[in-house]
Amino acid sequence: MSNSKTVFSELIQSRRSVRKYEQNIEFDHQVVGRSLELATLSPNSSNMQLWEFHRIISEDKREQLAEICMGQNAAKTASELVAFVVTPYKWKSRAEINAAHIRQAFDGREDATAKRALKYYEKLIPFIYNNDRFGFFGIGRKIFSYFLGQRKPMVREVSKSDIRVCLHKSSSLAAMTFMTAMQAEGYDTCPMEGFDSQRAKKLLGLPKQAEITMIVSCGKRAADGIYSDRHRVAHQDVIFNH
Ligand SMILES: Cc1cc2nc3c(=O)[nH]c(=O)nc-3n(C[C@H](O)[C@H](O)[C@H](O)COP(=O)(O)O)c2cc1C
């Protein structure tokens, strides 16, 4: 009898990066929509949700994007592609949404916990996310964090490039939720970072400051769609107990 533990384990075991999908099949595009809705529930840094999910559905756009993905089979044979995008420039509105949510949740309370929660989105987040074009603010924060960190534990990843990493972490978690959800509905995926980011952004009409974390192709695996047996280094080489 299967329980949720074995179902989850089977999902993770059976997910593979598929490089060739079946052609001329009925592909249910609604599954992608549902899986993306689940992906929005992924954990993300400070709940800022600085991500967007761009679906590439039309044949014409898929063909163009497949070329941009260096002509990879995983892209060329896909029934749909999804670009996971980070949007650092939306930080102000996202911070406001979070602050408003907290205000509502605390319902007029003015105790220390409520004040601290609001301060997080009204003071700390603007301090960390506000960046000038050249990253000088971030260098300032880095120096500030270095000196504060001499006396007590301090977050060190505060530069403009650190924030990029932070956003891509959250977007990657969303991609993983998405791929697992697709797998649960009987479809396959392949995450890809092998693409021309400039051309991809142009095709999707993304602004300069947006970045694509990865493009995930979707479809039904072809009989020869998995190129090799799965292999991983030994658990003792990557799992450590302290
Ligand atoms: C961030 C990222 C980028 C990847 N880029 C590509 C890619 O461009 N093309 C490709 O065929 N596979 C790509 N992969 C898939 C990996 O090669 C694959 O996950 C790895 O070989 C392990 O195989 P498995 O996913 O079947 O377990 C990527 C995976 C990740 C996580």
Side-chain angles (χ1 to χ4, degrees):
M1 215 178 82
S2 66
N3 57 29
S4 59
K5 206 158 85 182
T6 53
V7 168
F8 184 73
S9 170
E10 276 161 19
L11 272 183
I12 300 299
Q13 305 268 5
S14 61
R15 185 212 57 80
R16 292 299 315 275
S17 292
V18 168
R19 274 51 183 255
K20 208 164 147 198
Y21 301 100
E22 268 188 32
Q23 300 301 292
N24 309 317
I25 52 145
E26 269 297 300
F27 181 83
D28 185 356
H29 290 274
Q30 287 185 7
V31 173
V32 177
R34 280 201 292 277
S35 300
L36 284 174
E37 284 173 15
L38 288 175
T40 67
L41 302 180
S42 304
N44 66 96
S45 184
S46 300
N47 203 21
M48 290 286 277
Q49 302 165 64
L50 292 168
W51 53 29
E52 283 178 1
F53 313 113
H54 290 254
R55 299 179 59 180
I56 300 88
I57 303 169
S58 75
E59 197 176 345
D60 169 46
K61 281 250 164 77
R62 275 192 283 125
E63 274 173 12
Q64 289 183 57
L65 190 57
E67 279 312 304
I68 289 170
C69 292
M70 327 308 289
Q72 298 189 51
N73 266 341
K76 272 205 299 212
T77 62
S79 300
E80 184 169 337
L81 297 133
V82 181
F84 287 75
V85 175
V86 296
T87 57
Y89 50 92
K90 287 187 177 172
W91 70 266
K92 226 179 226 168
S93 67
R94 293 293 200 273
E96 281 165 12
I97 290 169
N98 274 296
H101 180 77
I102 284 171
R103 243 183 241 108
Q104 196 187 28
F106 282 98
D107 194 22
R109 259 173 57 186
E110 293 219 354
D111 54 81
T113 313
K115 279 191 180 148
R116 204 176 315 119
L118 265 184
K119 201 172 148 194
Y120 186 78
Y121 286 108
E122 290 181 341
K123 295 272 185 320
L124 187 67
I125 288 286
F127 177 65
I128 302 276
Y129 277 84
N130 193 11
N131 271 306
D132 58 300
R133 204 166 139 216
F134 303 104
F136 291 135
F137 292 178
I139 295 167
R141 286 193 299 267
K142 205 92 182 167
I143 295 167
F144 181 70
S145 135
Y146 171 79
F147 283 108
L148 268 189
Q150 298 297 304
R151 282 184 288 117
K152 57 176 186 176
M154 181 67 200
V155 174
R156 313 285 175 149
E157 289 71 29
V158 288
S159 71
K160 189 177 179 181
S161 59
D162 292 333
I163 299 301
R164 286 184 57 226
V165 172
C166 160
L167 300 189
H168 285 294
K169 282 184 204 171
S170 295
S171 171
S172 298
L173 290 174
M176 190 65 228
T177 304
F178 171 72
M179 291 189 284
T180 310
M182 289 291 287
Q183 186 76 17
E185 296 227 33
Y187 284 111
D188 296 288
T189 54
C190 182
M192 293 179 289
E193 58 189 353
F195 57 85
D196 179 330
S197 58
Q198 273 184 24
R199 287 190 165 82
K201 277 169 65 172
K202 194 164 170 222
L203 181 73
L204 302 178
L206 297 172
K208 199 164 173 269
Q209 313 95 299
E211 288 183 19
I212 302 176
T213 305
M214 66 184 91
I215 295 172
V216 178
S217 64
C218 312
K220 261 252 186 276
R221 67 177 75 174
D224 56 350
I226 292 166
Y227 286 177
S228 62
D229 286 345
R230 189 178 235 173
H231 70 97
R232 292 292 192 262
V233 297
H235 291 160
Q236 67 264 25
D237 287 342
V238 288
I239 302 173
F240 300 98
N241 300 328
H242 294 276

